[in-house]
Amino acid sequence: MKIARRRLIAVGAGLTGGMLLASGPLGALARATAPATSDSTLRAIVDAAVTSRQVPGVALAVWRGGQEVYSYYAGHANLETASHVTADSVFRIGSLTKQFVAALLLKLESQGKLSLGEPAQRYLTFLPQHAPFSIRELLQHTAGISDGEYGTEGVSSQLTQAERIARMTPLFDFAPGTAWRYSNAGYILLGAIVEKVTALPLATAASKLLFEPLGLTHTAFDQPSNVVTARASGYTPTGTEAQPFNNAEYLDVALAGAAGAMRSTAHDLCRWLAALFGGTYLPASSVQSMLVPARLRDGVLAGTKRHDPQTQGMGDTQYGLGFMLDAHTIDGKPVAGHHGGINGFAAYLACHPSSGLAYACLCNADTHPGLPLRDVRRQVLGPVLA
């Protein structure tokens, strides 16, 4: 779907479920995931989407045990210059941003600078005090924050946007902690908390605390003014033969902030998952908390009380901290993943931490059914799905 103005980032395809990741040797399960599917099958899936003009270009990388085992780059990164997608092609990644924001907050928690259980109002004092909600509830989409209109002109920081969100009427779709609804505005509030605690712009805080330490050299919060080597352009399929794609509708990507303003490469995204689930960025307890399904204040799984009828198709997929969780796996340990969609781009990133299998698939077209994301997921994760 095309994202208009600030209404961003689709909820991902089904994913979700259970508990923890493996530490140490991956064992028999990891070995069993080796040829998830043949290289030729993945190549055929991607090529079919490109040649049928469902998407100009695709970047795909598959990792296992912290190492790349397969990659494929097809089609064009820019149709006007006829430049091809390569390993260095940089795509906007939409809501994949959310897992990075969750990790940033967990990093700050591990440093003793905040606690996810604290009310967000402690850091954002302009929020209403009569209905407190925690940082964790924002991360899990159970705080009830509406995705209404709050204005986009003259936005200079996440804190500025958060102050506008606080003035929305209504601010809440439901009482905090009583239901689940995907909220991009809630993640803008989280970005504002990062800015408040670090006294840095979100993009700078992420670079200093996350991207630079992990060597994610192609990953950043995007700005329209940035000149980015090997940047892929975003497109909207037209469904016509004469002109199969238009340039995607313009969006000031910075407005997406903590909800979806990042850019990256397929390789960097897999490197990120290897670092996160390999224990080189956060304490094991923090990583495990990302894979625990959200519960409401009455103790029930958040996914059993979805406020938006349109998300009922998620089935028993649950949400952790920045990840969708799918526990329909051969070992009962979840696949953690997320869809990202923003004007002209669609992406999917997923990992089965207990086996070490991970992949990223990036497309430079609006989210729509003709993209290869679902078929690639089925093929790559097939060996670990029940």
Side-chain angles (χ1 to χ4, degrees):
M1 68 198 73
K2 185 165 61 177
I3 313 300
R5 296 185 65 203
R6 64 158 212 81
R7 293 189 62 78
L8 324 153
I9 346 307
V11 178
L15 277 185
T16 294
M19 291 304 246
L20 181 62
L21 68 168
S23 58
L26 298 173
L29 182 58
R31 292 192 294 273
T33 63
T37 184
S38 69
D39 292 356
S40 60
T41 303
L42 281 172
R43 182 183 294 260
I45 291 169
V46 171
D47 283 346
V50 173
T51 57
S52 64
R53 298 181 173 180
Q54 301 297 317
V55 59
V58 177
L60 172 63
V62 182
W63 284 39
R64 190 176 61 253
Q67 300 292 324
E68 182 180 292
V69 294
Y70 178 74
S71 62
Y72 185 53
Y73 306 95
H76 288 96
N78 186 289
L79 294 171
E80 293 170 308
T81 62
S83 54
H84 292 279
V85 174
T86 70
D88 293 326
S89 294
V90 177
F91 293 70
R92 289 179 177 170
I93 62 171
S95 275
L96 302 190
T97 301
K98 290 180 170 70
Q99 62 196 257
F100 290 89
V101 172
L104 266 177
L105 286 156
L106 285 164
K107 173 62 80 172
L108 292 171
E109 183 177 55
S110 73
Q111 295 172 342
K113 296 179 179 178
L114 57 76
S115 169
L116 299 193
E118 293 176 311
Q121 285 84 345
R122 175 172 178 180
Y123 301 95
L124 307 179
T125 56
F126 47 78
L127 290 171
Q129 303 296 315
H130 70 277
F133 49 87
S134 70
I135 297 172
R136 180 175 287 106
E137 286 172 327
L138 285 173
L139 285 165
Q140 296 175 331
H141 300 291
T142 61
I145 300 298
S146 175
D147 261 340
E149 294 293 334
Y150 54 84
T152 58
E153 294 77 18
V155 171
S156 58
S157 68
Q158 295 290 275
L159 279 165
T160 300
Q161 286 183 281
E163 289 172 354
R164 294 180 179 183
I165 290 169
R167 295 194 292 269
M168 286 194 310
T169 303
L171 176 60
F172 296 101
D173 288 327
F174 50 84
T178 64
W180 187 91
R181 185 171 189 172
Y182 195 82
S183 173
N184 290 305
Y187 266 73
I188 299 293
L189 296 182
L190 291 166
I193 291 172
V194 171
E195 291 188 339
K196 186 72 172 179
V197 172
T198 64
L200 295 169
L202 175 62
T204 304
S207 180
K208 288 181 176 296
L209 295 174
L210 202 165
F211 307 147
E212 290 177 10
L214 296 183
L216 305 179
T217 56
H218 298 288
T219 303
F221 276 86
D222 206 4
Q223 296 276 348
S225 60
N226 291 163
V227 175
V228 179
T229 302
R231 179 194 285 278
S233 298
Y235 298 95
T236 296
T238 65
T240 66
E241 230 179 282
Q243 184 175 326
F245 300 101
N246 288 333
N247 288 317
E249 182 179 341
Y250 176 77
L251 172 75
D252 181 348
V253 68
L255 298 175
M262 281 175 53
R263 64 176 189 255
S264 191
T265 64
H267 185 274
D268 257 19
L269 290 171
C270 288
R271 179 186 294 277
W272 151 245
L273 290 180
L276 177 66
F277 293 113
T280 60
Y281 183 65
L282 290 170
S285 59
S286 297
V287 180
Q288 179 173 354
S289 71
M290 301 182 81
L291 303 178
V292 175
R295 291 187 178 272
L296 304 177
R297 294 182 186 180
D298 62 5
V300 306
L301 285 171
T304 64
K305 291 187 178 180
R306 296 193 180 100
H307 185 77
D308 186 351
Q310 293 184 358
T311 60
Q312 298 307 314
M314 290 169 61
D316 58 3
T317 294
Q318 302 295 327
Y319 205 91
L321 300 180
F323 283 109
M324 296 278 184
L325 304 171
D326 181 2
H328 292 116
T329 59
I330 58 176
D331 64 352
K333 303 292 180 63
V335 168
H338 216 292
H339 174 265
I342 196 165
N343 294 27
F345 296 91
Y348 197 77
L349 177 66
C351 182
H352 183 236
S354 67
S355 69
L357 182 62
Y359 81 98
C361 187
L362 308 180
C363 302
N364 60 340
D366 294 336
T367 300
H368 70 99
L371 296 180
L373 299 178
R374 185 177 296 274
D375 288 341
V376 168
R377 180 183 187 275
R378 186 180 298 117
Q379 292 298 324
V380 173
L381 296 178
V384 302
L385 296 176

